[in-house]
Every structure is written in C-alpha cells, then in structure tokens.
Amino acid sequence: MASVKFTKDQTIYRTGERSSIINIIAEGSVQVKTPFITMTLQKNDILGMFDSQSIYYPFEYTVLEDVTIYQYPYTSISDLAALINNNPTAAGILTSHFAEECATLLDVYSSLYQDCATLYHEANDYYDKYQMFCESYEIEAATLPGIKQLSEYSQDTILEDWLSPYYTDLSDINSANWKTFYSSHPNACAGFIYTASADFMKVLPKCERLYQYIDMLCDLYISDFNLDLYSFYLKLYESLIPNSEWTDLSPIKSTMDTLVRKISKETYFDKTIVNERLKEYQALSSIDASADQSTHQSTSLALKTDIMSELENSIDTILIYAEFDDAASNKFRSLIKQYRELPDRASTDDTTKAIRKDLTNYFYDLYQKAFFKSLTDEAVPVILKMFFYFGYVDEKLIGINHAVELFTMTENIAPDEKHNVFLLYDWLMQIYQGKKEPCINELNVDYTTYLRNLRLSNKITPQQEESAQRNAKMRLQFEFDNMFKLTNKLTQGHISTFCPILSDHNLYKQLRDAYVTAENIHQALDTIRSIDYSAYYRETIFSAPEEGIIKELLQTEVLPDIILMPNIGTRSIMWQEITGKKRTSPARMMLSVLSLEDLYPSMVRLTGEFRWELCRRIQGVRWNDISERSLTSDYCEYIQTYKKNRDLSTDAKDKLKQNLIKARNHSKELFVRDYIDYVMFESNGSIRLNKLARNMLFQYCPFSKEIRLALEANPLYHDIIERYHNKNRANIRTYENMLVRLENNKIKIPEEIKLFRNYLNF
C-alpha cells in the first residue's frame, strides 16, 4: 500500500483514463461533475470502476479539498479479492461505496428519463398551440425545423426494472453489515464489486444519451440562433400588441408566461442564453407585473395587503399551531432558510440532498402533529389549510404573489359534492373517522392483512389485532407511513430531488392553471365515460331473497376515489383497483393538487391502467392464460405472436416493435398507450391503431352509442360494430326475459335491475 497526497483543484484522473491502481480516499474530498450529475467522494470512497484488468475512470476527478489517497496494485479481479482477504475492513468500505454509487446513478437515470419524456411532449404541445394561435389570429405560422422529425426517445436496450430498487435497498445497508458477510468471503465481495462496476457502466452511457437528447430538445425551446419556440411566440406576441385594444391577447400571454417560466427554472437550459434572450420578452411585458395584475383582478388592493400581513412568517404560524418543540422548530426554520437560499434547489450535490432529506423528515413530523391538533379545531386557520392541502410552509419559498393567490384559492375550497374526490387532508380525516379503509402499502398489503401477518408472526396478540382494527390513530398511522409518504414522492415526479415543501422552483404554470379541482376531475371522467361508457362498470351479483330474487348478474358503475396529494407534480398514479376483497369497491387514484401535466390525458391513462388492473384482479393467476379469453390474456397473446401474425403488415409489425421498446416490453404499458390513442383519437375517427389492437379494444372497451353511430360508416369499424350490436341485442333479450320472469312471479322490479337497462342502452 502506498499513500499519495493531492492538493485542492488538482485533477487526479481525466475522463476515459485507466490505471492499474485502486485509489481509496483516506481523508479530504474529491468532486465528480458532469452536466447531469455531481458527486462528492469522501473518506473511504473509491475512485473509478473495476473491469477485468484495470480501473476505468468514467469522469474527471478533481480535488475539492486536500486529499490523501491509499493506493493498492490492481491487474485482475484476484488482486481485489486479495486486498479484501488481507484487509477485511475494506470489504464493508468497497461494497457500501459501489452500492451507493449505483443507486445514485440510477436515480439520475430515472429523473433524466422522465424529464426527457416531459420536455418532448411539452415541446410538441407548445408547437401545436403556436399553430393554433396563428390560425386563430389569421397569421401565417412559421415552421420549426426538426420538431416533427424528432421522435420520442427510445432505447436500444431496456434497463431492467429491478435494478434501481435493488441498488436503492443495498445502499441503505451500512458498511458494518457488509463487512460481516463479505470480510470472510473475499471472492464474493470482489464479484459484487465487479458486477456493480459493470452495472454502473451499463447505466452511464444511457444517462449520457438521455442528456444529449434533452440538449437537442432544449434547442427547440430556446437557442442562440433564434429558430425556436420562444422566438416564434415572441414574434407572434409582438406582432399582435398594436391590435391589443380590440384583440384578446390573454391566451397567448398566459401560454408565453408559462413557457418563459419553464425556460427560466428548468436546469437543463443554458442560463447565459436564457438570461440574454429573455430580455426581449421583458421589454414587451414583465412576468411579475402580469402575475400582479392577475392577482389584482380577483383580490382588491386592500384585501391583498391584509392577506400579505397574515401570511408574514407563515412558518411560525404552522409551528406554533402544531406545538412543535423549540429545538425542532429552530432546526426546521434554519433548514427552510438554507433551502430558500440555495442557488439550485433541484441540485444533486451532497449538501442540497442532505437539506432536502432533513426537510422531508421534519415536514412529515410537522404534518402529523398539526393534523392531530386540527381534530379538535372547529375552524382550522387558512394558513394551516394551505399547509395541509398544498404543502405550503413559507411565503418566500413560493413567492408572495403566489402565496396570496394560494390563500384566496384555499378560502374558496369546498368539499366534493359527489364525495369521491378528496384533498389529502380530507382523505386522512375519512380514514381517522373510519369512513374509509386505509390504502394498501407498496407490497400490496392492506391494513387488515398487515395486522393478521403481525399476529401470525406472534408480534401482536389476537386481542391487540382486534383492538388495532378499531384504533383510529393506528389506522391513520398506517395510511400516513405507507400511502402518504410514498405517493407524495411518486406524484411529484422528481424522485431523486424530491422535497415535499411547496417551492416556486417547481412551478412551471400559473397557479390557477395548475390547480386541480373536483369539478375538473368530474368533467374529465364524464368525457371519458361518454366515450368508453363501460370504463368503470364491473359485473356484480344482485341478490334480494326477501323480494324473491336469488341471483342475477348485473353491471354496476363504481367511480374511483381520487386523492389530491399536496405537491406540484408531473405524475398521476393508479394505486389500487379495489378496496379490500370486495370487487364493487372503488379504485384509488392519486394526482398532484397542483399538476403540471394536462388533466384529461392523465385521467385517460389512469382509466386505462384501471381497466388492466381490474381485469388482472378478476382473472387472478390466469390473467395471461390465453385459454381463458380476457383483455389481459388477449393482449399478452397479441404481443407474443405478432411477428407471425398475417393480419399485420410489415409496417404495422415494425411500428409495434418500436411501441414495445417505448413500453419497455411491458404488456400493460403497451395496452395503456393503445388505450390513450383509442379514446383520444380513434373515437374521433383519427386512425392510430392497427387492426388487431382496434378489435381487442373495441371488444373489451366498446364506444358509446353516439360514437358507434358516427363510426359505423367507417369500413375499419363497420364489422366490429355490427358484431357488437348482435351481441348487445342478445344481452337485451336476456334482460327482457328476466323482467318477464320477475313480473310473472309478481316480484317488484328493484331499482338496481332498472338501472341495468341504462347500461344496455349505452
């Protein structure tokens, strides 16, 4: 072993170099920085990745503070095993380091992949809106080179789904536990390190390609050669200003504001170009002035001043209300201040990650304490409602104008009249009051099963199990620890940079445009049900022995429970298709209360996922058994046999192959993609699907009568609609025979059976 010292700012290795030396940091720190990842390596961390004969350095390694490095020779994997055998402590150090490195890179990969999809779809949306504005204002639209030729990012090879959770779990194991096993198994330890290095080098090129693709997408938004979405919108807006007295410019102004916010806050854009180019827009109109004007339209100046006064030091109001102890309160205030002053709150450097992690822990503790305090409060203060509903903590983090607007929005929030859309706070109240059962956890285990498992493992007694079933606080704790914490992170979308506290760096839309209301959700659901009328129906057995009805098979509509999570987010989640074991119980879906994605496509996707998962639930272990026909088994067979299917053209097979790659070879994901096209495009006569996919979707998700009539003349739909009508006529005859039988037996027709006729008439 040799000891070598390097001074601050000295470069130890450059990207792509190799060596025959194992470098372990003894003291000091080394920084690794690329456009998409920044890591700080400290004591006991290792430089580089292992391959069969050398150490490869995928990054440039620069000394952050004077560093001492222990060096060991390496020419083959046997040298690594020998090092571990001679120095058992190294087993824990090496394995812990590589598990954490892989977990960090996989987090980055996940964020890049999601951001890639978001930037691609939003670029197309902005371009479509630009063309729509030009048509509306009767101005010739410019053509943006490359946008229609640029397809959604797809990978040549698929990254296994298990890889990320595998390394995430391994990174939680401390080095002492690694050492316990691997110190006495040096060859196994060397094998793990070699495998982890290979996995790291498998993921890294994917991250680099994703970043390159994102860089291309960024040029479509704003660039230094003025041929981009920003330039197009700017020129259009500028040309319309002289006509502003008789032309409503608010739609394009609102879209322009949203685009500028995205460009300003998204870390992928070149800040030098952005700052210089945005001066052009600032000369035309100030974003802040626009926001002030928007707020002023709904709030008088005097009232706004009162609200601003009430919002001052919001964090203190929340901490005092929750009766947070002094030490924790001071620490939380300090963390909020540090977070607020960060130059980039979405950074992946160690300092920012540590601040976000601590804030997350304090936030959930504070939320729980405040919730229990509110149980005895008949009039919860508006600032606390902002905290409960939106994750609001600090008026400076979200911006005072946004805070004022949020205050007025919160004052006007009313419970959903249809009782199936809930803000998270209201949902937790339903759980506490016993009106709803807790959601399943990430292992698909519900509260009752969880308690039974504890009893079977002798961790609780039967009496404790029975007591826990009725214990409101324990039910709430299960929901809080399992559903709330996980889905809040998932719906926000940026898993590796997650922080539950409301901050303006995540807000790319006007608040009111992002705010998801119960009314918006019901409108989206009604639109979907007007197309796919049977989406939320499921077969049930109706029995009324007292009326003389033993068993009748009916279709019953059960709309999902939708929970709005307190964050600004980019993802919606279909969490569970039923509640407990009862198939007529509602599904549960989660959305961000401030959503950056369009609501209607999100609800269409959730409906597609629900259809798939409900079919899987009904079919059980035979969900993909082609001997028992169902939506899921037919789709699985379709994927497995498409290459030999003569009903598909060569072009259709090639397109399906590409769609499978985009769907990561998941049958469910492919179905959901097809379902979105089916509902949003095929229902309007815009053909997107191949013959087989169209036939399957129409068989299991038939269009409503109005759409069937409109499509009946289309030769692609004529035959399948005719088959549907024949089948439906048979169902109606069966129903009418049932009515005759009941009437002959002088049995009063129950309302449930009468409603079934409505279903048949769809």
Side-chain angles (χ1 to χ4, degrees):
M1 178 192 77
S3 175
V4 182
K5 294 188 177 183
F6 296 91
T7 57
K8 184 178 180 181
D9 297 329
Q10 189 174 354
T11 300
I12 304 174
Y13 290 104
R14 300 190 184 280
T15 304
E17 289 185 346
R18 291 180 178 273
S19 78
S20 56
I21 299 170
I22 300 173
N23 293 276
I24 302 178
I25 298 175
E27 59 181 31
S29 60
V30 174
Q31 187 178 67
V32 169
K33 192 170 185 178
T34 73
F36 55 84
I37 186 171
T38 300
M39 292 188 292
T40 301
L41 305 180
Q42 297 174 322
K43 183 177 180 179
N44 294 333
D45 285 337
I46 299 96
L47 276 56
M49 294 290 146
F50 289 79
D51 63 21
S52 58
Q53 296 180 327
S54 63
I55 309 292
Y56 176 74
Y57 299 95
F59 309 113
E60 184 170 287
Y61 295 79
T62 306
V63 178
L64 200 59
E65 54 184 356
D66 291 357
V67 66
T68 301
I69 292 178
Y70 293 147
Q71 296 186 329
Y72 302 85
Y74 178 82
T75 56
S76 69
I77 196 168
S78 59
D79 291 334
L80 183 56
L83 167 63
I84 296 161
N85 192 45
N86 296 330
N87 185 3
T89 305
I93 294 171
L94 290 164
T95 46
S96 177
H97 167 80
F98 278 95
E100 189 169 335
E101 291 279 279
C102 287
T104 300
L105 187 65
L106 283 159
D107 270 351
V108 170
Y109 168 82
S110 177
S111 293
L112 286 170
Y113 193 86
Q114 187 168 349
D115 292 344
C116 193
T118 301
L119 284 166
Y120 170 78
H121 289 297
E122 289 186 359
N124 280 279
D125 288 345
Y126 278 119
Y127 188 55
D128 290 343
K129 284 183 180 179
Y130 165 74
Q131 293 177 312
M132 181 191 71
F133 283 135
C134 288
E135 184 179 349
S136 173
Y137 293 120
E138 298 182 349
I139 293 175
E140 184 178 355
T143 301
L144 183 58
I147 191 165
K148 292 304 178 185
Q149 290 73 36
L150 191 66
S151 61
E152 187 175 0
Y153 183 82
S154 62
Q155 306 173 83
D156 296 331
T157 56
I158 307 299
L159 198 62
E160 298 90 338
D161 284 346
W162 58 266
L163 204 60
S164 183
Y166 170 70
Y167 279 109
T168 299
D169 285 353
L170 290 180
S171 67
D172 290 336
I173 302 173
N174 62 44
S175 59
N177 290 336
W178 283 111
K179 178 187 171 185
T180 301
F181 174 76
Y182 278 127
S183 60
S184 57
H185 300 83
N187 290 313
C189 183
F192 172 80
I193 293 166
Y194 187 76
T195 302
S197 294
D199 285 338
F200 189 95
M201 294 310 301
K202 179 169 63 176
V203 177
L204 182 60
K206 293 179 181 294
C207 291
E208 290 169 344
R209 286 195 293 273
L210 279 166
Y211 187 80
Q212 289 166 3
Y213 185 86
I214 287 173
D215 195 44
M216 286 192 296
L217 289 172
C218 287
D219 283 342
L220 294 177
Y221 283 85
I222 190 167
S223 63
D224 55 1
F225 41 82
N226 293 7
L227 199 60
D228 47 61
L229 289 165
Y230 171 75
S231 298
F232 286 8
Y233 272 96
L234 188 71
K235 289 174 184 175
L236 177 61
Y237 181 57
E238 187 175 14
S239 69
L240 293 170
I241 286 178
N243 306 326
S244 59
E245 289 185 14
W246 59 85
T247 303
D248 181 15
L249 302 186
S250 58
I252 187 173
K253 181 68 167 62
S254 176
T255 304
M256 188 78 180
D257 287 347
T258 305
L259 175 61
V260 168
R261 279 191 179 84
K262 182 172 188 65
I263 292 170
S264 301
K265 295 177 181 179
E266 185 62 72
T267 56
Y268 297 114
F269 294 102
D270 186 319
K271 294 304 176 189
T272 304
I273 294 174
V274 169
N275 293 337
E276 186 62 32
R277 294 288 316 277
L278 291 190
K279 291 177 183 177
E280 306 164 40
Y281 182 57
Q282 291 163 358
L284 293 175
S285 173
S286 165
I287 297 175
D288 289 337
S290 173
D292 283 339
Q293 183 181 5
S294 174
T295 303
H296 184 71
Q297 289 173 353
S298 58
T299 311
S300 69
L301 185 59
L303 180 58
K304 180 179 177 180
T305 303
D306 290 342
I307 293 173
M308 289 172 67
S309 176
E310 189 168 345
L311 287 169
E312 192 173 352
N313 297 321
S314 294
I315 187 172
D316 292 336
T317 303
I318 297 166
L319 289 168
I320 292 169
Y321 182 89
E323 298 176 357
F324 225 40
D325 67 71
D326 291 344
S329 295
N330 291 334
K331 178 64 176 176
F332 189 58
R333 289 190 191 94
S334 173
L335 286 167
I336 288 291
K337 185 174 184 295
Q338 292 175 55
Y339 188 56
R340 194 170 60 225
E341 293 173 353
L342 286 171
D344 179 10
R345 295 172 199 158
S347 172
T348 56
D349 66 74
D350 292 345
T351 301
T352 307
K353 283 167 66 176
I355 292 172
R356 285 196 300 261
K357 183 178 179 180
D358 289 344
L359 277 174
T360 299
N361 293 333
Y362 276 104
F363 173 85
Y364 287 126
D365 191 18
L366 180 61
Y367 197 105
Q368 198 164 4
K369 289 181 183 297
F371 178 85
F372 282 117
K373 173 69 180 296
S374 73
L375 295 174
T376 58
D377 194 344
E378 294 182 1
V380 177
V382 176
I383 289 176
L384 267 297
K385 289 183 179 179
M386 292 164 67
F387 172 63
F388 289 135
Y389 297 166
F390 301 99
Y392 167 84
V393 169
D394 180 65
E395 71 277 8
K396 295 173 186 174
L397 261 181
I398 189 63
I400 190 61
N401 287 322
H402 287 143
V404 170
E405 189 172 8
L406 201 66
F407 188 99
T408 58
M409 285 164 52
T410 305
E411 282 188 311
N412 296 317
I413 290 175
D416 174 34
E417 294 179 357
K418 297 183 179 179
H419 308 294
N420 71 312
V421 178
F422 304 88
L423 291 156
L424 177 80
Y425 173 81
D426 298 328
W427 176 260
L428 293 176
M429 193 66 75
Q430 294 279 313
I431 300 295
Y432 184 81
Q433 294 171 351
K435 296 177 181 178
K436 294 284 185 179
E437 288 300 310
C439 297
I440 58 174
N441 63 19
E442 60 183 313
L443 300 176
N444 208 28
V445 174
D446 61 24
Y447 184 61
T448 300
T449 306
Y450 166 75
L451 292 176
R452 184 169 66 250
N453 291 341
L454 289 179
R455 173 175 56 78
L456 293 174
S457 58
N458 295 320
K459 293 181 179 178
I460 60 173
T461 65
Q463 293 76 19
Q464 289 173 321
E465 178 187 12
E466 186 179 349
S467 173
Q469 283 282 9
R470 301 188 302 271
N471 189 302
K473 285 192 175 182
M474 290 182 68
R475 288 161 53 87
L476 183 71
Q477 193 67 50
F478 182 85
E479 190 77 340
F480 202 92
D481 291 340
N482 292 284
M483 184 279 281
F484 179 20
K485 291 182 180 180
L486 180 58
T487 59
N488 201 34
K489 188 174 187 177
L490 292 175
T491 52
Q492 195 205 54
H494 299 287
I495 295 174
S496 61
T497 59
F498 170 74
C499 182
I501 295 169
L502 195 67
S503 169
D504 62 359
H505 80 281
N506 286 323
L507 189 62
Y508 300 143
K509 281 186 177 181
Q510 294 279 10
L511 263 178
R512 290 189 181 276
D513 293 338
Y515 176 43
V516 177
T517 65
E519 182 182 2
N520 297 149
I521 289 173
H522 288 305
Q523 286 176 354
L525 282 174
D526 289 346
T527 302
I528 293 167
R529 290 156 64 212
S530 71
I531 298 169
D532 178 9
Y533 71 90
S534 62
Y536 291 100
Y537 277 87
R538 69 277 307 264
E539 190 175 69
T540 60
I541 297 174
F542 177 74
S543 177
E546 68 281 0
E547 300 290 343
I549 300 173
I550 305 303
K551 183 177 77 171
E552 296 293 347
L553 292 177
L554 304 178
Q555 290 283 343
T556 304
E557 186 176 41
V558 184
L559 294 179
D561 286 334
I562 295 173
I563 306 164
L564 300 175
M565 306 306 294
N567 63 51
I568 302 170
T570 59
R571 282 188 66 190
S572 48
I573 298 172
M574 216 298 294
W575 188 248
Q576 61 190 81
E577 66 281 359
I578 61 172
T579 305
K581 307 297 181 185
K582 192 176 180 182
R583 291 183 182 176
T584 54
S585 55
R588 291 181 180 176
M589 302 172 177
M590 284 75 174
L591 292 86
S592 297
V593 69
L594 297 171
S595 179
L596 300 180
E597 58 179 358
D598 290 339
L599 180 60
Y600 179 62
S602 297
M603 292 306 301
V604 174
R605 166 171 278 279
L606 289 175
T607 303
E609 290 183 14
F610 166 75
R611 271 196 169 279
W612 182 272
E613 292 299 337
L614 184 65
C615 183
R616 278 195 61 163
R617 168 74 66 162
I618 292 169
Q619 296 301 114
V621 295
R622 305 189 69 179
W623 69 273
N624 60 352
D625 184 348
I626 60 175
S627 67
E628 189 166 323
R629 312 308 300 185
S630 68
L631 183 152
T632 51
S633 66
D634 280 6
Y635 242 83
C636 288
E637 182 187 21
Y638 161 63
I639 292 169
Q640 292 164 9
T641 61
Y642 80 91
K643 292 180 181 178
K644 298 179 181 179
N645 198 308
R646 295 180 181 179
D647 289 332
L648 292 176
S649 66
T650 302
D651 287 344
K653 290 177 182 178
D654 289 341
K655 183 179 179 182
L656 179 52
K657 181 181 178 181
Q658 289 302 313
N659 287 342
L660 272 170
I661 291 173
K662 292 176 182 178
R664 296 178 294 173
N665 282 337
H666 285 183
S667 51
K668 173 185 172 181
E669 181 61 24
L670 181 69
F671 164 75
V672 171
R673 283 170 172 264
D674 285 350
Y675 181 82
I676 292 170
D677 284 341
Y678 178 72
V679 170
M680 296 185 66
F681 300 103
E682 293 259 339
S683 64
N684 296 318
S686 176
I687 302 303
R688 296 292 181 93
L689 302 174
N690 63 52
K691 177 182 177 181
L692 296 182
R694 183 181 304 111
N695 287 355
M696 282 187 292
L697 278 159
F698 194 91
Q699 179 182 352
Y700 295 107
C701 317
F703 287 137
S704 62
K705 180 185 288 186
E706 183 180 342
I707 295 173
R708 293 197 305 271
L709 290 172
L711 292 175
E712 200 165 14
N714 188 324
L716 294 175
Y717 273 98
H718 181 271
D719 289 346
I720 54 178
I721 290 176
E722 186 60 34
R723 286 197 297 271
Y724 170 84
H725 285 161
N726 292 336
K727 182 180 177 181
N728 199 47
R729 280 192 285 268
N731 290 335
I732 291 174
R733 282 196 299 272
T734 302
Y735 173 79
E736 289 173 345
N737 291 337
M738 176 180 64
L739 291 183
V740 171
R741 186 177 70 253
L742 294 175
E743 288 171 357
N744 289 341
N745 292 326
K746 298 182 180 180
I747 296 174
K748 182 181 178 182
I749 309 298
E751 192 64 28
E752 290 84 351
I753 292 179
K754 291 180 181 178
L755 289 173
F756 183 42
R757 181 61 194 243
N758 295 336
Y759 170 82
L760 294 173
N761 286 337
F762 284 133

